[in-house]
Amino acid sequence: MPTALEIVTPERLLLSRAVDMVVVPAAEGELGVLPGHAPMIALLRGGVLRIFEGQQETSRLFVAGGFAEITPERCTVLASEVMPLAEVSKSAAERRIKEAEAAYEAVDKSDIAARDMTLDHLQSARAMLAVAEAP
């Protein structure tokens, strides 16, 4: 029995369909979700979300960060931003890196939450650049 996958951004529900497996870019590393997976919530880092149907990878999406809520029947990805890999631009990624570096330099380093948020944005921008430069 497939896993129900939902991908949601602040703006809308982007995808809702049954898949055989989804691999999410979790903060701890790539996390493969199959039907019957143990319940958990995973923090997502910027990276590539991969969708499998049958034995084939059918979709690859860039995820800027967020959370994945996993149950034995479902994987719900709550993402800050999602885009098809074909829409990931090197120039946009480089611009985001510059903006994130400037924000990190300007942030009050004693404000741990703000510092961590700026570091997350920088990591996501770097992941976006890596995706844009990949063959």
Side-chain angles (χ1 to χ4, degrees):
M1 175 168 219
T3 296
L5 172 64
E6 290 187 338
I7 301 176
V8 182
T9 66
E11 294 82 29
R12 66 187 174 104
L13 172 66
L14 289 177
L15 182 139
S16 180
R17 72 174 189 241
V19 301
D20 292 310
M21 181 173 77
V22 60
V23 178
V24 297
E28 303 83 23
E30 289 196 338
L31 174 64
V33 180
L34 293 164
H37 196 287
M40 67 184 303
I41 295 178
L43 179 65
L44 302 181
R45 61 178 163 75
V48 177
L49 180 141
R50 299 180 300 145
I51 300 170
F52 291 82
E53 295 174 79
Q55 300 296 316
Q56 300 292 320
E57 181 178 271
T58 57
S59 299
R60 296 171 56 110
L61 304 166
F62 176 77
V63 178
F67 295 90
E69 180 184 16
I70 301 163
T71 69
E73 302 81 26
R74 173 178 309 280
C75 177
T76 303
V77 174
L78 307 164
S80 54
E81 180 182 15
V82 179
M83 67 179 72
L85 292 192
E87 293 179 15
V88 176
S89 143
K90 183 177 178 183
S91 61
E94 289 171 340
R95 185 180 70 254
R96 285 185 187 199
I97 289 172
K98 286 181 183 176
E99 291 169 358
E101 287 173 340
Y104 180 73
E105 290 303 316
V107 75
D108 176 2
K109 304 301 188 286
S110 66
D111 183 345
I112 294 174
R115 185 195 68 199
D116 287 352
M117 186 170 65
T118 59
L119 282 173
D120 286 347
H121 286 120
L122 181 55
Q123 184 277 330
S124 178
R126 288 177 177 160
M128 185 180 194
L129 181 60
V131 166
E133 291 179 336

